[in-house]
């Protein structure tokens, strides 16, 4: 009797496993030697290699990688839940660049669109797929970054996005949060998306100092920017005060007025502060917010998940530190609900951050 019951249990268990496994996609072995979950993604692996070679200097977390991520945001945020503000993540900023690059908020994006356009024409992807694949690949070159989702199959854009869809550093917190909400993002998701500033730099806030980074570790996707924006500022990195800029704590570092305000506003300060030295939180929230951003305006039922074509980024496991000569006494904290992590200070004199 016991043996009969055991045999019946094993039979039921094996049947259940067979049903479960039937729902799992079998791996597809591509001609390139790569493995993917969907045969439609095989054509993308050689394209990823070309992006790395022709656009990202062989796989570097350099200016083109930073700019590709910025371009994806500026493209996708041209969207409203109520309609009338563009097609979202459709690549319109690349196809209709003569229109969209005239918008003030898109200043400095002409360099990356010029770099990308010949590669885009050669690969023959839709503009939306190209812009958002390039962003995912470029970001993957930065140690510490999450492996971003990539959905394949966006149709061609129909029209340029209108002006005033991209938040600017001169905007108030209320205005910024309202624009994000109109596109479907909460204040917490807005702060998550600003994790991109960890590898970003400013070209046109102060035109005398292009390539001025927003934190002292611009080549690493870490939480350093969330720390340094909370430090007391004392200087401008270039030609004095410019619109959209406030004083920075470090020579050679740009602090955006909008980042400064969001880090201290009661609606967002705790979301900002929670990111400090919490790499897992920053990357997971950024990945989720980007997955949402990069399909704005798209019919996801018609897209194929080709995330496995995106390279796996190198990990970052170190604890961030206060820049040399700074400590907790230099913080400007408005979130009283969270304990601040104990961080060491880099040894040596105060640094000067080089441009990228």
């Amino acid at each position: 009797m016991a043996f009969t019951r055991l045999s019946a249990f094993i039979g039921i268990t094996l049947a259940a496993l067979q049903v479960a496994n039937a729902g799992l996609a079998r791996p597809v072995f591509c001609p390139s030697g790569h493995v993917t979950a969907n045969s439609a993604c095989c054509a993308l692996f050689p394209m990823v290699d070309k992006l790395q070679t022709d656009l990202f200097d062989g796989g570097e977390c350099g200016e083109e990688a930073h700019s590709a991520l910025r371009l994806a945001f500026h493209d996708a945020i041209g969207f409203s839940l109520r309609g009338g503000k563009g097609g979202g993540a459709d690549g319109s900023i690349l196809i209709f660049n003569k229109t969209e690059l005239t918008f003030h908020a898109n200043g400095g994006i002409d360099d990356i669109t010029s770099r990308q356009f010949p590669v885009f024409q050669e690969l023959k992807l839709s503009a939306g797929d190209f812009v958002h694949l390039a962003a995912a690949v470029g970001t993957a070159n930065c140690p510490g970054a999450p492996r971003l989702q990539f959905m394949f199959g966006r149709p061609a854009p129909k029209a340029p996005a209108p002006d005033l869809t991209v938040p600017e550093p001169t905007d108030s917190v209320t205005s910024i949060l309202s624009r994000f909400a109109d596109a479907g993002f909460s204040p917490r998701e807005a702060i998550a998306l600003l994790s991109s500033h960890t590898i970003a730099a400013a070209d046109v806030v102060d035109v005398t100092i292009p390539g001025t980074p927003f934190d002292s570790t611009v080549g690493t996707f870490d939480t350093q920017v969330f720390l340094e924006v909370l430090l007391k500022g004392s200087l401008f990195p270039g030609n004095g005060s410019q619109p959209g800029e406030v004083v920075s704590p470090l020579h050679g570092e740009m602090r955006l007025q909008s980042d400064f305000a969001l880090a201290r506003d009661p609606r967002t300060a705790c979301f900002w502060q929670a990111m400090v030295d919490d790499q897992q939180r920053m990357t997971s929230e950024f990945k989720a917010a980007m997955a949402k951003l990069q399909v704005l305006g798209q019919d996801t039922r018609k897209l194929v998940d080709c995330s496995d074509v995106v390279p796996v980024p190198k990990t970052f496991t170190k604890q961030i530190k206060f820049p040399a000569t700074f400590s907790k006494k230099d913080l400007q904290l408005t979130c009283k609900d969270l304990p601040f992590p104990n961080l060491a200070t880099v040894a040596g004199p105060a640094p000067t951050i080089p441009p990228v």
Side-chain angles (χ1 to χ4, degrees):
M1 287 290 291
F3 179 76
T4 302
R5 287 196 298 269
L6 179 60
S7 298
F9 173 76
I10 292 173
I12 292 170
T13 302
L14 289 174
L17 288 172
Q18 288 171 353
V19 170
N21 289 335
L24 297 176
R26 293 183 177 181
V28 175
F29 295 89
C30 303
S32 61
H34 297 91
V35 180
T36 179
N38 193 305
S39 60
C41 306
C42 284
L44 296 175
F45 286 105
M47 298 186 188
V48 169
D49 291 341
K50 187 167 183 64
L51 287 173
Q52 294 285 47
T53 300
D54 293 3
L55 201 56
F56 300 128
D57 301 316
E60 292 187 4
C61 181
E63 182 180 357
E64 290 77 15
H66 314 158
S67 297
L69 182 55
R70 183 186 179 207
L71 187 68
F73 172 75
H74 283 235
D75 176 60
I77 202 65
F79 175 80
S80 170
L81 294 174
R82 295 173 290 191
K85 289 191 176 176
D90 61 358
S92 65
I93 199 166
L94 191 62
I95 293 296
F96 301 104
N97 60 78
K98 290 184 179 179
T99 298
E100 294 195 31
L101 294 188
T102 64
F103 304 157
H104 185 267
N106 290 335
I109 283 184
D110 52 326
D111 285 347
I112 189 62
T113 54
S114 296
R115 282 291 307 274
Q116 287 191 1
F117 206 85
V119 185
F120 158 67
Q121 289 180 309
E122 189 171 349
L123 293 185
K124 302 188 184 307
L125 290 169
S126 72
D129 281 347
F130 180 88
V131 167
H132 295 284
L133 178 61
V137 173
T139 301
N141 293 333
C142 301
R147 190 188 196 190
L148 295 180
Q149 175 181 283
F150 175 67
M151 303 298 286
F152 179 42
R154 295 168 183 79
K158 296 179 180 179
D163 198 1
L164 306 179
T165 62
V166 181
E168 297 208 53
T170 52
D171 291 344
S172 68
V173 171
T174 296
S175 175
I176 292 169
L177 295 183
S178 176
R179 178 75 273 274
F180 273 107
D182 184 42
F185 294 92
S186 68
R188 179 171 179 162
E189 289 173 321
I191 298 303
L193 287 171
L194 289 174
S195 300
S196 61
H197 285 184
T198 185
I199 56 168
D203 287 324
V204 296
V205 174
D206 185 337
V207 296
T208 67
I209 49 169
T212 305
F214 296 147
D215 77 8
S216 58
T217 58
V218 70
T220 305
F221 203 101
D222 58 20
T223 69
Q224 195 75 28
V225 69
F226 289 103
L227 169 63
E228 292 178 12
V229 170
L230 290 170
L231 297 174
K232 296 175 185 176
S234 60
L235 53 90
F236 292 105
N239 191 26
S241 177
Q242 305 295 324
E245 176 189 20
V246 296
V247 286
S248 168
L250 299 174
H251 289 277
E253 180 176 287
M254 174 73 68
R255 176 180 283 172
L256 297 180
Q257 176 185 317
S258 51
D259 284 356
F260 175 90
L262 286 161
R264 291 159 178 78
D265 190 277
R267 291 166 288 184
T268 48
C270 288
F271 299 137
W272 188 283
Q273 187 175 319
M275 296 290 197
V276 177
D277 202 39
D278 194 338
Q279 183 75 10
Q280 194 280 330
R281 177 175 185 152
M282 182 189 72
T283 54
S284 63
E285 293 195 14
F286 177 70
K287 180 174 182 174
M290 281 297 295
K292 185 174 176 178
L293 178 83
Q294 291 189 285
V295 293
L296 285 181
Q298 304 302 306
D299 184 349
T300 55
R301 297 169 301 178
K302 298 180 180 179
L303 301 180
V304 178
D305 188 346
C306 288
S307 302
D308 51 16
V309 309
V310 178
V312 178
K314 295 179 181 177
T315 57
F316 174 82
T317 58
K318 297 178 182 178
Q319 186 179 40
I320 64 167
K321 295 181 179 181
F322 285 104
T325 74
F326 288 86
S327 66
K328 269 191 174 182
K329 65 179 174 56
D330 300 300
L331 291 168
Q332 295 177 321
L333 304 180
T334 58
C335 175
K336 306 302 181 183
D337 298 332
L338 295 176
F340 199 84
N342 291 317
L343 302 175
T345 296
V346 176
T352 295
I353 312 304
V356 296

